[in-house]
Amino acid sequence: MSAHLTDTRERFLRQIAFLIEIDRVKTIFRKTRLLSDKRYENDAEHGWHMSLMALILWEHSNQQVDISKVVKMALIHDLVEIDAGDTFLYAEDQKDKTANERKCAERIFGLLPEDQRDEYLELWEEFEAKETAEALFAGALDRLGPVMQNYYDGGHAWKMHNVTADKVLKVNSQIKKGSEEIWNYAKTLIEKVVERGDLECKDRQ
Amino acid sequence: MSAHLTDTRERFLRQIAFLIEIDRVKTIFRKTRLLSDKRYENDAEHGWHMSLMALILWEHSNQQVDISKVVKMALIHDLVEIDAGDTFLYAEDQKDKTANERKCAERIFGLLPEDQRDEYLELWEEFEAKETAEALFAGALDRLGPVMQNYYDGGHAWKMHNVTADKVLKVNSQIKKGSEEIWNYAKTLIEKVVERGDLECKDRQ
């Protein structure tokens, strides 16, 4: 085989090694259950749904976005949970989470050829930093899913983990930075869960 | 509310109705099991993995492709199985499949605002027709996943459904139309499954 062919093959096999490793994200289960079944959702399903939310709802982003980039973020944002595990959005200590996830990002994206490793590490960092229009919109979609799941599931994950209405409203109000339209909708759902008595308002009392 | 606001809200709610309905694809199970666990894969997980294959392997497409379009195809190609169910790639009769899937495509994409309905119906038709560079490359990735899954799972799905080596090679040789590089790899995996004695060669005898 010529040197060029050997390089192409080696590059291809590194890409395949990455694609095999990320299969494990299908075994990382979240705190929320499906809309269509009473079982917990895994990170691969969440990434798929979030990508479709991006494609369908992009016109509601506050700022113009490069939608392909938002979809890429949606597809890869939870790969870091392969080593770090799923962290509940309402967990008090998010510091360990960040360090563990960064270590995992370096390991997982490090399986790829260098140019792709750099591209995807950078994209993941951008998503985490929540500064660009794309990261803010992707962040809004990342939160929309669980709000809908809790709404259709009697506030299941919120109740299970003793999260109060104030905290749900506060944490999810970040959605507003990516999309006012999506936040209006999400806020209405949260308020309806409170009205139904499925979410406690302790912090307000 | 002004007429414009009512229209925007109505449009948003149609998009949300679509996003809720497609959750059901997470309950459609395929014939192959995960690479990382001995449970069957569902269509949402498959769509997620196929999208990442597209992003990582696009340079190996025989023809130049619009990669965002391939990713979109990967994300939506199996939505039609919500009503039609999963059809095994090696099933004899694919005629009913096509009619049922088209009916489902009209129902599911019909939940969206008209412009998006037309866009996604057209994209799904393009994927099915396997004529454009994007559809051929997406088709190759759609087949790569199950070949890898069978390779790492002792030919499980092929054995369970009595598919012979000749048929596996013939059906999957379609991969070549999208990517010679991916077909070289997939063919090697199939040949190794045969060498290991995990796939019968009846048709050859």
Side-chain angles (χ1 to χ4, degrees):
Chain A
M1 242 197 264
S2 74
H4 172 70
L5 274 178
T6 316
D7 287 354
T8 304
R9 185 29 67 122
E10 199 198 312
R11 185 173 165 85
F12 180 78
L13 291 176
R14 289 188 73 161
Q15 293 166 329
I16 291 288
F18 170 81
L19 291 168
I20 290 171
E21 178 64 18
I22 64 171
D23 194 81
R24 292 170 58 200
V25 99
K26 298 170 192 168
T27 68
I28 309 291
F29 284 87
R30 297 163 55 79
K31 305 289 181 288
T32 43
R33 299 191 290 197
L34 303 188
L35 296 171
S36 53
D37 195 4
K38 289 285 178 217
R39 70 155 172 86
Y40 289 94
E41 184 179 48
N42 66 57
D43 275 347
E45 296 169 317
H46 164 67
W48 169 82
H49 216 152
M50 186 173 148
S51 304
L52 269 161
M53 287 178 183
L55 288 178
I56 300 300
L57 300 177
W58 67 272
E59 70 198 67
H60 306 292
S61 169
N62 291 345
Q63 301 178 63
Q64 279 234 326
V65 283
D66 170 352
I67 193 61
S68 320
K69 197 172 176 182
V70 179
V71 170
K72 275 190 190 181
M73 284 179 177
L75 290 168
I76 61 123
H77 78 291
D78 273 341
L79 290 182
V80 294
E81 295 192 352
I82 287 176
D83 296 341
D86 177 52
T87 309
F88 195 41
L89 186 59
Y90 305 91
E92 290 300 327
D93 188 10
Q94 303 272 338
K95 245 190 279 172
D96 279 358
K97 173 183 177 275
T98 313
N100 290 340
E101 288 190 352
R102 179 151 294 115
K103 224 167 127 186
C104 180
E106 278 162 20
R107 183 185 75 75
I108 305 254
F109 295 122
L111 296 169
L112 287 167
E114 284 69 13
D115 57 322
Q116 291 187 318
R117 177 199 63 196
D118 294 348
E119 180 192 348
Y120 284 97
L121 257 178
E122 208 172 289
L123 191 72
W124 176 75
E125 294 278 4
E126 183 180 333
F127 172 77
E128 286 293 306
K130 299 285 181 296
E131 286 166 2
T132 62
E134 284 78 12
L136 289 170
F137 188 57
L141 301 171
D142 195 20
R143 286 165 193 224
L144 172 63
V147 170
M148 290 172 67
Q149 287 167 324
N150 270 291
Y151 173 77
Y152 284 104
D153 196 16
H156 175 78
W158 295 330
K159 277 199 294 195
M160 286 279 289
H161 302 275
N162 302 312
V163 189
T164 55
D166 276 16
K167 195 147 188 205
V168 169
L169 278 169
K170 191 180 161 203
V171 167
N172 285 293
S173 68
Q174 300 295 314
I175 294 175
K176 202 184 340 186
K177 295 187 186 168
S179 167
E180 293 278 353
E181 184 74 29
I182 294 176
W183 173 236
N184 284 341
Y185 171 69
K187 194 164 165 257
T188 309
L189 295 191
I190 297 167
E191 286 165 354
K192 281 186 189 163
V193 177
V194 175
E195 272 169 38
R196 280 190 327 221
D198 282 334
L199 188 53
E200 289 190 49
C201 308
K202 273 185 246 155
D203 294 357
R204 280 186 184 161
Q205 289 160 359
Chain B
M1 244 196 263
S2 74
H4 172 69
L5 275 179
T6 316
D7 286 354
T8 304
R9 188 25 68 122
E10 199 197 312
R11 186 174 164 85
F12 179 77
L13 291 176
R14 289 188 72 163
Q15 294 166 329
I16 291 288
F18 170 81
L19 291 168
I20 291 171
E21 178 64 18
I22 65 171
D23 194 81
R24 291 171 59 201
V25 99
K26 298 171 192 168
T27 68
I28 309 290
F29 283 89
R30 298 164 55 80
K31 306 288 182 287
T32 44
R33 300 191 290 197
L34 302 189
L35 296 170
S36 54
D37 195 5
K38 289 287 180 218
R39 72 154 171 87
Y40 290 94
E41 184 179 47
N42 66 56
D43 275 346
E45 296 169 318
H46 164 66
W48 170 82
H49 215 153
M50 186 172 148
S51 304
L52 269 161
M53 287 178 184
L55 289 178
I56 300 300
L57 301 176
W58 67 273
E59 69 198 68
H60 307 292
S61 169
N62 292 345
Q63 300 177 64
Q64 280 234 326
V65 284
D66 170 352
I67 193 60
S68 321
K69 197 172 176 182
V70 179
V71 170
K72 275 191 192 183
M73 282 179 179
L75 289 169
I76 61 121
H77 78 291
D78 273 341
L79 291 182
V80 294
E81 295 191 352
I82 286 175
D83 295 342
D86 177 51
T87 308
F88 196 40
L89 186 59
Y90 305 91
E92 290 300 327
D93 189 9
Q94 303 272 339
K95 244 189 284 174
D96 278 358
K97 172 185 179 275
T98 313
N100 290 340
E101 288 191 351
R102 179 151 293 116
K103 226 168 125 185
C104 180
E106 279 162 20
R107 183 183 76 75
I108 305 255
F109 296 122
L111 295 169
L112 288 167
E114 284 68 15
D115 57 322
Q116 292 188 318
R117 176 198 64 197
D118 293 349
E119 180 193 348
Y120 284 96
L121 256 178
E122 209 172 287
L123 191 72
W124 176 75
E125 294 278 3
E126 183 180 333
F127 171 77
E128 286 293 306
K130 300 285 182 294
E131 285 166 2
T132 61
E134 284 78 12
L136 289 170
F137 188 57
L141 302 171
D142 195 19
R143 287 166 192 223
L144 172 62
V147 169
M148 290 172 67
Q149 286 167 325
N150 271 290
Y151 174 76
Y152 284 103
D153 196 17
H156 176 79
W158 294 331
K159 278 201 291 197
M160 284 280 288
H161 301 275
N162 303 310
V163 188
T164 57
D166 276 18
K167 197 148 186 204
V168 169
L169 279 168
K170 193 180 158 201
V171 167
N172 286 293
S173 68
Q174 300 295 313
I175 293 176
K176 203 187 336 188
K177 294 187 187 169
S179 166
E180 292 278 353
E181 185 74 28
I182 295 177
W183 173 234
N184 284 341
Y185 170 70
K187 195 163 163 259
T188 308
L189 295 191
I190 298 168
E191 284 165 354
K192 282 186 189 163
V193 177
V194 175
E195 271 169 37
R196 280 189 329 220
D198 281 335
L199 187 53
E200 286 190 51
C201 308
K202 271 187 243 151
D203 294 357
R204 279 185 182 163
Q205 289 159 359

